[in-house]
Amino acid sequence: MEAIEVTGLRKTYGGRDAVAGVDLVVARGEIFSLLGPNGAGKTTTVEILEGHRRRDGGDVRVLGEDPGTAGGAWRSRIGIVLQDAEDAADLTVHEMVRHVAGFYPDARKPDEVIELVGLTAKRTSKIRTLSGGQRRRVDVALGIVGRPELLFLDEPTTGFDPEARRRFWDLIRTLAGDGTTILLTTHYLDEAEALADRLAVVAAGKIVATGTPATLGGRASAQAVVSWRDTGGTPRTERVDDPAELLGRLLADGTDLTTLTVTRPTLEDTYLSLIGATR
Ligand code: ATP
């Protein structure tokens, strides 16, 4: 059974399509990332999958159930880190995590979760005294404390400093290694590239491309740009399908290969051209 199966998902606000026919399959144990510009329909899609919004059309199965009708037992199997989480600011980090752990049948130990998100030093601090990035880590702790089979992360690392982001990436890999399925919405393409097994680009309520980070939008088969300095020291650049033949020629010419670079479109280049095509 797949973790998430969506066909023909639609959601309309005031006669305007926010989600206009999304088809999506996320396998168990996969880290799947949704990318797309502001207003593309990512949060609407994810909130329907979480059972927080009603759909206007299409079929949705999450862990084998319809989120529109699934009950508490299903809810305890998913974890959610919302984009704008509310926080009970007068509780300490430990009190809050312990409180939420109490809702789940097989919760992780609060201190273990606090350690996982790197907040041990703030364990007894009131949440309202934390920085924005530290509060976001509390949100992540609350999302994982119930030991979810499926974790929804909506822009989880907004406000994280670079080191905290790297720690968070390690945490996500650890969770995935333990079999947790993860649906990650992010605007950070490096984050999607670092974490996702597969990703989908959403634009204007539709999925415009799906693939692995390496193959999305034909990225793997895109031409390589090879630059070097020739034997006279003049900069040269060629676009080629397969750099091997060109490299053979350069070697034979006695070109100084320390000047050589081979680049392909970055995930960002591919993403921008995919969403540009829909405008
Ligand atoms: P972002 O990257 O900014 O979070 P998103 O891809 O998550 O964007 P959504 O929040 O799903 O986008 O919004 C999709 C569209 O639906 C937008 O045009 C938005 O204005 C509209 N929309 C979302 N929620 C509502 C609502 N409750 N009422 C009316 N329109 C809404």
Side-chain angles (χ1 to χ4, degrees), residues 13 18 36-44 53 83 155 187:
Y13 295 112
N38 293 135
K42 304 178 299 296
T43 300
T44 303
R53 284 197 211 194
Q83 210 175 93
E155 298 179 27
H187 288 294

Side-chain angles (χ1 to χ4, degrees), residues 27 51 57 81 87 104 144 147 176 206 216 226 234 236 254 272 275 277:
V81 178
D87 38 36
Y104 293 93
I144 66 172
R147 213 184 288 279
K206 293 197 168 119
L216 188 81
V226 184
T234 309
R236 305 279 303 271
L272 290 173
I275 63 161

Side-chain angles (χ1 to χ4, degrees), residues 11-14 16-19 35-47 53 83 154-155 185-187 202 205:
K11 177 74 185 179
T12 307
Y13 295 112
R16 292 191 55 188
D17 281 344
V19 180
L35 305 174
N38 293 135
K42 304 178 299 296
T43 300
T44 303
T45 300
V46 170
E47 290 188 357
R53 284 197 211 194
Q83 210 175 93
D154 198 354
E155 298 179 27
T185 307
T186 183
H187 288 294
V202 183

Side-chain angles (χ1 to χ4, degrees), residues 144-175:
I144 66 172
V145 72
R147 213 184 288 279
E149 289 170 49
L150 169 62
L151 178 61
F152 292 99
L153 298 167
D154 198 354
E155 298 179 27
T157 59
T158 304
F160 279 26
D161 64 49
E163 194 209 342
R165 287 182 78 217
R166 294 297 163 135
R167 280 189 67 148
F168 173 79
W169 293 359
D170 288 341
L171 168 60
I172 294 307
R173 292 187 185 109
T174 304
L175 294 171

